[in-house]
Amino acid sequence: MRRLNRKKTLNLMKELDAFPKVPESYVETSASGGTVSLIAFTTIAFLTIMEFMVYRDTWMKYEYEVDKDFTSKLRINIDITVAMRCQYVGADVLDLAETMVASADGLIYEPVPFELTPQQKELQRMLQVIQSRLQEEHSLQDVIFKSAFKSASTALPPREDNSLQSPDACRIHGHLYVNKVAGNFHITVGKAIPHPRGHAHLAALVSHESYNFSHRIDHLSFGELIPGIINPLDGTEKVASDHNQMFQYFITVVPTKLHTYKISAETHQFSVTERERVINHAAGSHGVSGIFMKYDISSLMVTVTEEHMPFWQFLVRLCGIIGGIFSTTGILHGFGRFVAEIIFCRFRLGSYRSTSVPLPDGHTSNHLPLITDNSTH
């Protein structure tokens, strides 16, 4: 009974087989068919390898939504070197809520030489090259996101202890926590003091000849500090052409949630517009000499997620490649043979020209004469 059931099952499966079966005696091999088959298999192998490389790669997906977090604090990470002595400069933040955050809350003033060491110059030059490439090719930002925490920190290496240069500059580095509203981080002459109508700087004791706001921004970021992320102002260096010169940076900060296969962090991207001018009250150019970074918080939040192609989608695409190549090459091969047969048939018909054969009654025959053994002698 079991054998009968197996035979019935096999017969049923054979009846359900919808794929055509061509006997081998009906199949005709040819050089053109073999050539087309070789091309098809080579194309399939090449596209399969390329598809596998696409399957191994990942891409970044960007989603946008309204930022509903208004109560948390915004962290500003700062590492700026100004070509003035530390006792002459002061840094602080004043936001739209008239809240002043003094630099004493988290910034360190460190006397350093303004001139960089050869190793630091090389790193700064590399950062400037990367910044120029990022401005031209925005897709490189995805590579930086995926390599976060895997690459080394973008901070400048420490100076050598045997440096013979005297400290003629002030390195202001650290972090501050501010409200998530628009504000102004600035570095100007004199230490900041509270004031009922805002704040003021004690600049009366500093002579104008000692003003020099040439500066270098080694790092400036908002939010969580992520090693490997290169920000738009990293590596920027400005040299003042006048003592009374103002440098302005207008920054738009976008809250960003980064989710990759390596990290999950909340950071902030930003774009920046630069402007610099010489303060000359007689010419109508009013203001205060210094470095001013006016930032504004965007109401939109970006979620950046690293995605990978599912395995089932890879199989479907692979089957489509194999089936599509076989179908396309079969159609092209059949069409090529059809065209070749038409052309060759015309050549064959043209090679057989009709000849006139005289008949005894005076008529002519246009039929081809039969070739016999006697006619060859």
Side-chain angles (χ1 to χ4, degrees), residues 147-210:
S147 63
F149 276 149
K150 293 194 295 185
S151 58
S153 175
T154 56
L156 291 177
R159 298 176 183 268
E160 290 82 353
D161 295 335
N162 57 357
S163 177
L164 301 178
Q165 298 179 359
S166 60
D168 57 351
C170 184
R171 179 190 175 196
I172 304 173
H173 59 98
H175 61 273
L176 296 173
Y177 287 95
V178 298
N179 299 321
K180 289 188 68 174
V181 295
N184 182 7
F185 170 76
H186 52 273
I187 302 174
T188 186
V189 179
K191 302 299 180 181
I193 57 174
H195 193 271
R197 295 184 179 180
H199 74 296
H201 288 261
L202 294 175
L205 301 179
V206 183
S207 62
H208 287 276
E209 288 74 15
S210 61

Short mmCIF file of all heavy atoms in Angstrom, two decimals, residues 147-210:
data_model
loop_
_atom_site.label_atom_id
_atom_site.label_comp_id
_atom_site.label_asym_id
_atom_site.label_seq_id
_atom_site.Cartn_x
_atom_site.Cartn_y
_atom_site.Cartn_z
N SER A 147 31.59 55.72 10.31
CA SER A 147 32.91 55.48 10.90
C SER A 147 33.06 56.13 12.26
O SER A 147 34.17 56.17 12.80
CB SER A 147 34.00 55.98 9.96
OG SER A 147 33.88 57.37 9.78
N ALA A 148 31.99 56.68 12.82
CA ALA A 148 32.07 57.33 14.13
C ALA A 148 32.49 56.33 15.20
O ALA A 148 32.07 55.17 15.19
CB ALA A 148 30.73 57.95 14.49
N PHE A 149 33.29 56.78 16.12
CA PHE A 149 33.86 56.00 17.22
C PHE A 149 34.91 54.99 16.75
O PHE A 149 35.57 54.37 17.57
CB PHE A 149 32.77 55.25 18.00
CG PHE A 149 32.12 56.09 19.05
CD1 PHE A 149 30.80 55.89 19.39
CD2 PHE A 149 32.81 57.09 19.69
CE1 PHE A 149 30.19 56.67 20.36
CE2 PHE A 149 32.22 57.87 20.66
CZ PHE A 149 30.89 57.66 21.00
N LYS A 150 35.05 54.80 15.42
CA LYS A 150 36.07 53.88 14.94
C LYS A 150 37.35 54.62 14.57
O LYS A 150 38.43 54.06 14.64
CB LYS A 150 35.55 53.10 13.73
CG LYS A 150 34.43 52.13 14.07
CD LYS A 150 34.18 51.15 12.96
CE LYS A 150 33.66 51.81 11.71
NZ LYS A 150 33.31 50.84 10.66
N SER A 151 37.22 55.88 14.15
CA SER A 151 38.40 56.66 13.81
C SER A 151 38.90 57.41 15.03
O SER A 151 38.22 57.52 16.04
CB SER A 151 38.06 57.64 12.69
OG SER A 151 37.00 58.48 13.09
N ALA A 152 40.09 57.94 14.92
CA ALA A 152 40.69 58.66 16.04
C ALA A 152 40.01 60.00 16.24
O ALA A 152 39.32 60.51 15.36
CB ALA A 152 42.19 58.85 15.79
N SER A 153 40.21 60.57 17.40
CA SER A 153 39.62 61.87 17.69
C SER A 153 40.22 62.93 16.78
O SER A 153 41.39 62.86 16.40
CB SER A 153 39.87 62.24 19.15
OG SER A 153 39.41 63.54 19.42
N THR A 154 39.39 63.93 16.42
CA THR A 154 39.86 64.99 15.54
C THR A 154 40.57 66.10 16.29
O THR A 154 40.96 67.10 15.69
CB THR A 154 38.65 65.59 14.78
OG1 THR A 154 37.68 66.04 15.74
CG2 THR A 154 38.03 64.55 13.87
N ALA A 155 40.72 65.97 17.60
CA ALA A 155 41.42 67.01 18.37
C ALA A 155 42.90 66.99 18.02
O ALA A 155 43.47 65.97 17.64
CB ALA A 155 41.23 66.77 19.87
N LEU A 156 43.52 68.17 18.14
CA LEU A 156 44.94 68.28 17.83
C LEU A 156 45.76 67.49 18.85
O LEU A 156 45.40 67.41 20.03
CB LEU A 156 45.38 69.74 17.85
CG LEU A 156 44.85 70.62 16.72
CD1 LEU A 156 45.33 72.05 16.92
CD2 LEU A 156 45.30 70.10 15.37
N PRO A 157 46.86 66.89 18.42
CA PRO A 157 47.70 66.16 19.37
C PRO A 157 48.34 67.11 20.36
O PRO A 157 48.50 68.31 20.10
CB PRO A 157 48.75 65.49 18.46
CG PRO A 157 48.78 66.34 17.23
CD PRO A 157 47.38 66.84 17.05
N PRO A 158 48.73 66.63 21.53
CA PRO A 158 49.35 67.52 22.53
C PRO A 158 50.70 68.03 22.05
O PRO A 158 51.39 67.40 21.26
CB PRO A 158 49.51 66.61 23.76
CG PRO A 158 49.50 65.21 23.20
CD PRO A 158 48.60 65.25 22.01
N ARG A 159 51.05 69.20 22.53
CA ARG A 159 52.31 69.80 22.13
C ARG A 159 53.49 69.08 22.80
O ARG A 159 53.35 68.49 23.85
CB ARG A 159 52.34 71.29 22.51
CG ARG A 159 51.27 72.12 21.84
CD ARG A 159 51.29 73.54 22.35
NE ARG A 159 50.22 74.32 21.75
CZ ARG A 159 50.35 75.02 20.64
NH1 ARG A 159 51.52 75.05 20.02
NH2 ARG A 159 49.33 75.71 20.15
N GLU A 160 54.64 69.16 22.14
CA GLU A 160 55.83 68.58 22.72
C GLU A 160 56.27 69.40 23.94
O GLU A 160 56.13 70.61 23.98
CB GLU A 160 56.97 68.52 21.70
CG GLU A 160 56.76 67.51 20.58
CD GLU A 160 55.87 68.05 19.48
OE1 GLU A 160 55.33 69.16 19.64
OE2 GLU A 160 55.72 67.36 18.45
N ASP A 161 56.82 68.71 24.92
CA ASP A 161 57.25 69.38 26.15
C ASP A 161 58.49 70.24 25.94
O ASP A 161 58.74 71.17 26.71
CB ASP A 161 57.53 68.35 27.24
CG ASP A 161 56.27 67.60 27.65
OD1 ASP A 161 55.17 68.16 27.47
OD2 ASP A 161 56.40 66.46 28.13
N ASN A 162 59.25 69.96 24.89
CA ASN A 162 60.48 70.70 24.69
C ASN A 162 60.28 71.92 23.79
O ASN A 162 61.20 72.40 23.15
CB ASN A 162 61.55 69.79 24.08
CG ASN A 162 61.07 69.17 22.76
OD1 ASN A 162 59.93 69.39 22.36
ND2 ASN A 162 61.95 68.41 22.12
N SER A 163 59.03 72.44 23.73
CA SER A 163 58.77 73.61 22.91
C SER A 163 59.45 74.83 23.55
O SER A 163 59.30 75.11 24.73
CB SER A 163 57.27 73.85 22.80
OG SER A 163 57.02 75.03 22.08
N LEU A 164 60.21 75.54 22.73
CA LEU A 164 60.95 76.70 23.21
C LEU A 164 60.18 78.00 23.03
O LEU A 164 60.67 79.06 23.43
CB LEU A 164 62.30 76.80 22.47
CG LEU A 164 63.23 75.58 22.61
CD1 LEU A 164 64.50 75.77 21.80
CD2 LEU A 164 63.56 75.34 24.09
N GLN A 165 58.99 77.94 22.46
CA GLN A 165 58.23 79.15 22.23
C GLN A 165 57.55 79.60 23.51
O GLN A 165 57.06 78.78 24.30
CB GLN A 165 57.18 78.92 21.13
CG GLN A 165 57.78 78.56 19.77
CD GLN A 165 56.69 78.33 18.74
OE1 GLN A 165 55.52 78.40 19.04
NE2 GLN A 165 57.12 78.03 17.52
N SER A 166 57.51 80.90 23.70
CA SER A 166 56.82 81.45 24.88
C SER A 166 55.33 81.52 24.61
O SER A 166 54.91 81.78 23.48
CB SER A 166 57.37 82.84 25.19
OG SER A 166 57.15 83.71 24.09
N PRO A 167 54.49 81.31 25.62
CA PRO A 167 53.04 81.37 25.42
C PRO A 167 52.60 82.78 25.05
O PRO A 167 52.68 83.70 25.87
CB PRO A 167 52.47 80.93 26.77
CG PRO A 167 53.59 80.20 27.45
CD PRO A 167 54.84 80.87 26.98
N ASP A 168 52.17 82.97 23.83
CA ASP A 168 51.69 84.27 23.37
C ASP A 168 50.22 84.23 22.98
O ASP A 168 49.71 85.20 22.41
CB ASP A 168 52.52 84.75 22.18
CG ASP A 168 52.50 83.76 21.03
OD1 ASP A 168 51.99 82.62 21.22
OD2 ASP A 168 53.00 84.09 19.94
N ALA A 169 49.53 83.11 23.26
CA ALA A 169 48.12 82.96 22.90
C ALA A 169 47.38 82.29 24.05
O ALA A 169 47.99 81.86 25.05
CB ALA A 169 47.97 82.15 21.61
N CYS A 170 46.08 82.21 23.90
CA CYS A 170 45.23 81.62 24.93
C CYS A 170 44.33 80.57 24.30
O CYS A 170 43.58 80.88 23.36
CB CYS A 170 44.40 82.70 25.62
SG CYS A 170 43.40 82.06 27.00
N ARG A 171 44.45 79.37 24.80
CA ARG A 171 43.59 78.29 24.33
C ARG A 171 42.40 78.17 25.28
O ARG A 171 42.56 77.88 26.47
CB ARG A 171 44.36 76.97 24.28
CG ARG A 171 43.52 75.79 23.82
CD ARG A 171 44.24 74.48 24.02
NE ARG A 171 43.41 73.34 23.68
CZ ARG A 171 43.66 72.07 24.03
NH1 ARG A 171 44.75 71.80 24.77
NH2 ARG A 171 42.85 71.10 23.68
N ILE A 172 41.19 78.38 24.74
CA ILE A 172 39.96 78.30 25.52
C ILE A 172 39.25 77.01 25.13
O ILE A 172 38.79 76.87 23.99
CB ILE A 172 39.05 79.52 25.25
CG1 ILE A 172 39.81 80.82 25.52
CG2 ILE A 172 37.79 79.46 26.08
CD1 ILE A 172 39.05 82.07 25.11
N HIS A 173 39.21 76.06 26.05
CA HIS A 173 38.62 74.76 25.71
C HIS A 173 37.79 74.26 26.89
O HIS A 173 38.01 74.64 28.05
CB HIS A 173 39.71 73.76 25.35
CG HIS A 173 40.71 73.51 26.44
ND1 HIS A 173 40.64 72.44 27.29
CD2 HIS A 173 41.82 74.21 26.80
CE1 HIS A 173 41.65 72.48 28.13
NE2 HIS A 173 42.39 73.56 27.86
N GLY A 174 36.86 73.39 26.57
CA GLY A 174 35.94 72.85 27.57
C GLY A 174 34.53 72.78 26.99
O GLY A 174 34.33 72.65 25.77
N HIS A 175 33.53 72.86 27.85
CA HIS A 175 32.15 72.80 27.39
C HIS A 175 31.27 73.66 28.30
O HIS A 175 31.59 73.90 29.46
CB HIS A 175 31.63 71.35 27.39
CG HIS A 175 31.65 70.70 28.75
ND1 HIS A 175 32.75 70.05 29.25
CD2 HIS A 175 30.69 70.62 29.71
CE1 HIS A 175 32.48 69.58 30.45
NE2 HIS A 175 31.24 69.92 30.76
N LEU A 176 30.14 74.09 27.73
CA LEU A 176 29.15 74.88 28.44
C LEU A 176 27.76 74.29 28.19
O LEU A 176 27.51 73.71 27.13
CB LEU A 176 29.17 76.34 27.95
CG LEU A 176 30.43 77.16 28.21
CD1 LEU A 176 30.32 78.50 27.51
CD2 LEU A 176 30.67 77.35 29.70
N TYR A 177 26.88 74.44 29.17
CA TYR A 177 25.49 74.01 29.03
C TYR A 177 24.62 75.27 28.97
O TYR A 177 24.63 76.09 29.89
CB TYR A 177 25.06 73.12 30.20
CG TYR A 177 25.67 71.74 30.14
CD1 TYR A 177 26.85 71.45 30.83
CD2 TYR A 177 25.07 70.72 29.40
CE1 TYR A 177 27.41 70.19 30.78
CE2 TYR A 177 25.62 69.45 29.34
CZ TYR A 177 26.79 69.19 30.03
OH TYR A 177 27.35 67.94 29.98
N VAL A 178 23.86 75.40 27.89
CA VAL A 178 23.02 76.58 27.68
C VAL A 178 21.59 76.14 27.41
O VAL A 178 21.30 74.95 27.18
CB VAL A 178 23.56 77.41 26.49
CG1 VAL A 178 24.96 77.91 26.76
CG2 VAL A 178 23.53 76.59 25.20
N ASN A 179 20.68 77.09 27.43
CA ASN A 179 19.28 76.82 27.10
C ASN A 179 19.13 76.55 25.60
O ASN A 179 19.92 77.06 24.78
CB ASN A 179 18.40 78.01 27.50
CG ASN A 179 18.45 78.27 29.00
OD1 ASN A 179 18.47 77.34 29.80
ND2 ASN A 179 18.49 79.55 29.38
N LYS A 180 18.09 75.78 25.25
CA LYS A 180 17.87 75.45 23.84
C LYS A 180 17.11 76.58 23.14
O LYS A 180 16.02 76.40 22.60
CB LYS A 180 17.11 74.14 23.71
CG LYS A 180 17.94 72.92 24.09
CD LYS A 180 17.22 71.63 23.77
CE LYS A 180 17.09 71.43 22.27
NZ LYS A 180 16.53 70.11 21.93
N VAL A 181 17.71 77.75 23.18
CA VAL A 181 17.20 78.92 22.46
C VAL A 181 18.38 79.57 21.75
O VAL A 181 19.54 79.23 22.00
CB VAL A 181 16.52 79.93 23.42
CG1 VAL A 181 15.27 79.33 24.03
CG2 VAL A 181 17.49 80.39 24.50
N ALA A 182 18.07 80.48 20.86
CA ALA A 182 19.13 81.18 20.14
C ALA A 182 20.01 81.96 21.10
O ALA A 182 19.53 82.52 22.10
CB ALA A 182 18.53 82.10 19.08
N GLY A 183 21.29 82.00 20.82
CA GLY A 183 22.23 82.68 21.70
C GLY A 183 23.45 83.16 20.95
O GLY A 183 23.57 83.01 19.73
N ASN A 184 24.37 83.70 21.71
CA ASN A 184 25.57 84.29 21.14
C ASN A 184 26.75 83.95 22.03
O ASN A 184 26.87 84.44 23.15
CB ASN A 184 25.41 85.81 21.02
CG ASN A 184 26.63 86.47 20.38
OD1 ASN A 184 27.54 85.80 19.91
ND2 ASN A 184 26.64 87.80 20.38
N PHE A 185 27.62 83.06 21.53
CA PHE A 185 28.87 82.77 22.22
C PHE A 185 29.94 83.67 21.62
O PHE A 185 30.15 83.69 20.41
CB PHE A 185 29.25 81.30 22.05
CG PHE A 185 30.65 81.00 22.53
CD1 PHE A 185 30.93 80.90 23.88
CD2 PHE A 185 31.69 80.83 21.62
CE1 PHE A 185 32.21 80.64 24.33
CE2 PHE A 185 32.98 80.56 22.06
CZ PHE A 185 33.23 80.47 23.42
N HIS A 186 30.62 84.43 22.47
CA HIS A 186 31.59 85.38 21.95
C HIS A 186 32.83 85.42 22.84
O HIS A 186 32.78 85.16 24.03
CB HIS A 186 30.97 86.78 21.84
CG HIS A 186 30.32 87.25 23.09
ND1 HIS A 186 29.01 86.97 23.40
CD2 HIS A 186 30.80 87.97 24.14
CE1 HIS A 186 28.70 87.52 24.57
NE2 HIS A 186 29.78 88.13 25.04
N ILE A 187 33.92 85.76 22.18
CA ILE A 187 35.21 85.97 22.83
C ILE A 187 35.65 87.38 22.47
O ILE A 187 35.83 87.71 21.30
CB ILE A 187 36.26 84.95 22.37
CG1 ILE A 187 35.78 83.52 22.64
CG2 ILE A 187 37.59 85.20 23.05
CD1 ILE A 187 36.70 82.45 22.06
N THR A 188 35.82 88.21 23.48
CA THR A 188 36.20 89.60 23.24
C THR A 188 37.17 90.07 24.31
O THR A 188 37.58 89.27 25.19
CB THR A 188 34.95 90.50 23.18
OG1 THR A 188 35.34 91.81 22.80
CG2 THR A 188 34.25 90.54 24.52
N VAL A 189 37.53 91.32 24.26
CA VAL A 189 38.54 91.85 25.18
C VAL A 189 37.93 92.02 26.57
O VAL A 189 36.81 92.54 26.72
CB VAL A 189 39.08 93.19 24.66
CG1 VAL A 189 40.12 93.74 25.62
CG2 VAL A 189 39.68 93.01 23.27
N GLY A 190 38.67 91.60 27.58
CA GLY A 190 38.25 91.79 28.96
C GLY A 190 37.36 90.67 29.47
O GLY A 190 36.68 89.98 28.70
N LYS A 191 37.39 90.48 30.79
CA LYS A 191 36.56 89.46 31.42
C LYS A 191 35.12 89.96 31.52
O LYS A 191 34.86 91.14 31.70
CB LYS A 191 37.11 89.12 32.81
CG LYS A 191 38.54 88.63 32.82
CD LYS A 191 38.68 87.34 32.01
CE LYS A 191 40.13 86.84 32.03
NZ LYS A 191 40.31 85.60 31.24
N ALA A 192 34.19 89.02 31.42
CA ALA A 192 32.77 89.36 31.46
C ALA A 192 32.32 89.56 32.90
O ALA A 192 32.74 88.84 33.81
CB ALA A 192 31.95 88.26 30.80
N ILE A 193 31.46 90.55 33.08
CA ILE A 193 30.87 90.81 34.41
C ILE A 193 29.36 90.93 34.23
O ILE A 193 28.87 91.40 33.19
CB ILE A 193 31.43 92.11 35.04
CG1 ILE A 193 31.20 93.30 34.11
CG2 ILE A 193 32.91 91.95 35.35
CD1 ILE A 193 31.60 94.64 34.72
N PRO A 194 28.58 90.49 35.22
CA PRO A 194 27.11 90.61 35.11
C PRO A 194 26.68 92.06 35.10
O PRO A 194 27.32 92.94 35.68
CB PRO A 194 26.60 89.87 36.36
CG PRO A 194 27.75 89.06 36.83
CD PRO A 194 28.99 89.79 36.43
N HIS A 195 25.54 92.29 34.43
CA HIS A 195 25.02 93.64 34.31
C HIS A 195 23.50 93.55 34.30
O HIS A 195 22.94 92.60 33.72
CB HIS A 195 25.53 94.31 33.03
CG HIS A 195 25.30 95.78 32.98
ND1 HIS A 195 24.13 96.34 32.47
CD2 HIS A 195 26.07 96.83 33.39
CE1 HIS A 195 24.20 97.65 32.56
NE2 HIS A 195 25.37 97.99 33.11
N PRO A 196 22.78 94.49 34.93
CA PRO A 196 21.31 94.39 34.95
C PRO A 196 20.70 94.36 33.56
O PRO A 196 19.65 93.74 33.34
CB PRO A 196 20.89 95.65 35.73
CG PRO A 196 22.07 95.99 36.57
CD PRO A 196 23.27 95.60 35.76
N ARG A 197 21.30 95.01 32.58
CA ARG A 197 20.75 95.02 31.23
C ARG A 197 21.46 94.04 30.30
O ARG A 197 21.39 94.18 29.09
CB ARG A 197 20.86 96.43 30.66
CG ARG A 197 20.02 97.45 31.40
CD ARG A 197 20.11 98.80 30.72
NE ARG A 197 19.29 99.80 31.41
CZ ARG A 197 19.18 101.07 31.01
NH1 ARG A 197 19.88 101.49 29.95
NH2 ARG A 197 18.43 101.90 31.69
N GLY A 198 22.12 93.10 30.83
CA GLY A 198 22.82 92.10 30.01
C GLY A 198 24.14 91.76 30.64
O GLY A 198 24.18 91.16 31.71
N HIS A 199 25.22 92.16 30.02
CA HIS A 199 26.54 91.92 30.59
C HIS A 199 27.52 92.88 29.93
O HIS A 199 27.22 93.51 28.92
CB HIS A 199 26.97 90.46 30.39
CG HIS A 199 27.36 90.15 28.98
ND1 HIS A 199 26.48 90.21 27.93
CD2 HIS A 199 28.57 89.80 28.45
CE1 HIS A 199 27.11 89.88 26.82
NE2 HIS A 199 28.36 89.64 27.10
N ALA A 200 28.70 92.98 30.52
CA ALA A 200 29.73 93.88 30.00
C ALA A 200 31.09 93.21 30.17
O ALA A 200 31.23 92.21 30.89
CB ALA A 200 29.69 95.22 30.74
N HIS A 201 32.09 93.76 29.47
CA HIS A 201 33.47 93.25 29.54
C HIS A 201 34.39 94.38 29.99
O HIS A 201 34.26 95.54 29.55
CB HIS A 201 33.91 92.72 28.17
CG HIS A 201 33.25 91.44 27.78
ND1 HIS A 201 33.84 90.21 27.94
CD2 HIS A 201 32.02 91.19 27.24
CE1 HIS A 201 33.02 89.27 27.49
NE2 HIS A 201 31.91 89.85 27.06
N LEU A 202 35.32 94.03 30.86
CA LEU A 202 36.29 94.99 31.36
C LEU A 202 37.42 95.14 30.33
O LEU A 202 38.46 94.47 30.39
CB LEU A 202 36.84 94.53 32.71
CG LEU A 202 35.84 94.49 33.86
CD1 LEU A 202 36.49 93.90 35.09
CD2 LEU A 202 35.32 95.90 34.15
N ALA A 203 37.20 96.02 29.36
CA ALA A 203 38.18 96.21 28.29
C ALA A 203 38.91 97.54 28.37
O ALA A 203 39.76 97.83 27.52
CB ALA A 203 37.47 96.11 26.93
N ALA A 204 38.61 98.33 29.39
CA ALA A 204 39.22 99.66 29.45
C ALA A 204 40.71 99.60 29.74
O ALA A 204 41.46 100.51 29.35
CB ALA A 204 38.51 100.51 30.50
N LEU A 205 41.15 98.55 30.44
CA LEU A 205 42.56 98.47 30.84
C LEU A 205 43.44 97.83 29.78
O LEU A 205 44.65 97.68 30.00
CB LEU A 205 42.67 97.68 32.15
CG LEU A 205 41.90 98.25 33.34
CD1 LEU A 205 42.08 97.36 34.56
CD2 LEU A 205 42.32 99.69 33.64
N VAL A 206 42.88 97.46 28.65
CA VAL A 206 43.65 96.80 27.59
C VAL A 206 43.82 97.78 26.44
O VAL A 206 42.84 98.36 25.94
CB VAL A 206 42.94 95.52 27.10
CG1 VAL A 206 43.80 94.82 26.04
CG2 VAL A 206 42.66 94.59 28.27
N SER A 207 45.05 98.00 26.02
CA SER A 207 45.32 98.95 24.93
C SER A 207 44.91 98.35 23.59
O SER A 207 44.95 97.14 23.38
CB SER A 207 46.81 99.31 24.90
OG SER A 207 47.59 98.15 24.65
N HIS A 208 44.53 99.21 22.66
CA HIS A 208 44.09 98.76 21.34
C HIS A 208 45.23 98.12 20.55
O HIS A 208 44.99 97.29 19.67
CB HIS A 208 43.49 99.94 20.55
CG HIS A 208 42.16 100.37 21.06
ND1 HIS A 208 40.97 99.77 20.68
CD2 HIS A 208 41.81 101.35 21.94
CE1 HIS A 208 39.94 100.37 21.28
NE2 HIS A 208 40.44 101.34 22.06
N GLU A 209 46.46 98.49 20.85
CA GLU A 209 47.58 97.91 20.10
C GLU A 209 47.77 96.43 20.40
O GLU A 209 48.38 95.70 19.60
CB GLU A 209 48.87 98.68 20.41
CG GLU A 209 48.95 100.07 19.80
CD GLU A 209 48.05 101.07 20.52
OE1 GLU A 209 47.59 100.75 21.65
OE2 GLU A 209 47.80 102.15 19.95
N SER A 210 47.29 95.99 21.54
CA SER A 210 47.43 94.57 21.90
C SER A 210 46.27 93.71 21.39
O SER A 210 46.27 92.51 21.59
CB SER A 210 47.54 94.43 23.42
OG SER A 210 46.37 94.92 24.06
#
